[in-house]
Amino acid sequence: MVNGDVETVDELPAAGRTFSQRVAERGERLEELEARLEVLAQHTDASTKAEKITAILMFAQNKANERGKVAVTPAEIRGCTGVSRRYAYDLVEAVAAGVDGVQVRESKQVRTGNGSEHKQKTLLIDCEGVRELNDAVDSYTTSNGGDGEV
């Protein structure tokens, strides 16, 4: 069998069949990951304000895992939307004003055991309060005529 041609998987020894099955499983997993990557790429290339807000809320939901509330910094907003530093701060205000379950934590100095620490302005997103992500984004975009502008 080593020197002959193999026509079907059934002609392979058990190890060959196991290897073939693993290759097929990895191929399916690769397809799933490529599909997820495509969705993420669409969010990072967000062009309208509503798409940027959707990307921020999706980022928060992914970051939250099992926690109910998550903080999203302007730097993280820049990373998930591709906007400038200044516009990231504008989006902090826009998301807090336009989506229920989101508030702004203003920047402040906090005393620690070793001195003080600067906490930057951050979005606090209650992922359970924003339960239905699509509903939150839809209500944001449709309340303004669907154009996504505040």
Side-chain angles (χ1 to χ4, degrees):
M1 184 173 257
V2 173
N3 294 331
D5 289 0
V6 176
E7 298 287 325
T8 66
V9 175
D10 294 330
E11 296 176 20
L12 294 174
R17 284 191 295 275
T18 301
F19 177 75
S20 176
Q21 182 179 4
R22 285 186 180 168
V23 168
E25 289 170 358
R26 296 295 190 266
E28 291 171 5
R29 179 70 177 144
L30 177 62
E31 288 175 9
E32 290 172 12
L33 291 173
E34 286 174 339
R36 289 179 65 189
L37 180 61
E38 186 176 325
V39 169
L40 289 173
Q42 290 172 355
H43 288 296
T44 58
D45 295 336
S47 59
T48 68
K49 192 172 196 174
E51 289 171 335
K52 287 175 178 61
I53 291 172
T54 301
I56 293 166
L57 294 175
M58 293 292 287
F59 175 83
Q61 187 177 40
N62 289 336
K63 184 178 178 183
N65 251 349
E66 297 296 318
R67 295 174 284 166
K69 212 172 223 186
V70 65
V72 179
T73 66
E76 291 171 323
I77 291 172
R78 286 181 64 197
C80 72
T81 61
V83 299
S84 69
R85 180 177 178 269
R86 178 68 244 150
Y87 192 52
Y89 279 94
D90 291 345
L91 284 172
V92 166
E93 297 296 333
V95 173
V99 179
D100 293 333
V102 179
Q103 61 186 12
V104 175
R105 181 186 69 202
E106 295 295 333
S107 64
K108 60 183 174 181
Q109 288 292 115
V110 178
R111 289 190 181 252
T112 64
N114 298 333
S116 66
E117 178 183 333
H118 178 74
K119 295 256 185 187
Q120 67 180 355
K121 188 175 198 174
T122 304
L123 271 179
L124 298 176
I125 300 175
D126 180 3
C127 292
E128 294 192 15
V130 181
R131 264 188 202 129
E132 293 297 320
L133 183 62
N134 292 334
D135 289 347
V137 173
D138 288 346
S139 68
Y140 171 77
T141 58
T142 56
S143 66
N144 296 314
D147 63 358
E149 296 299 321
V150 177

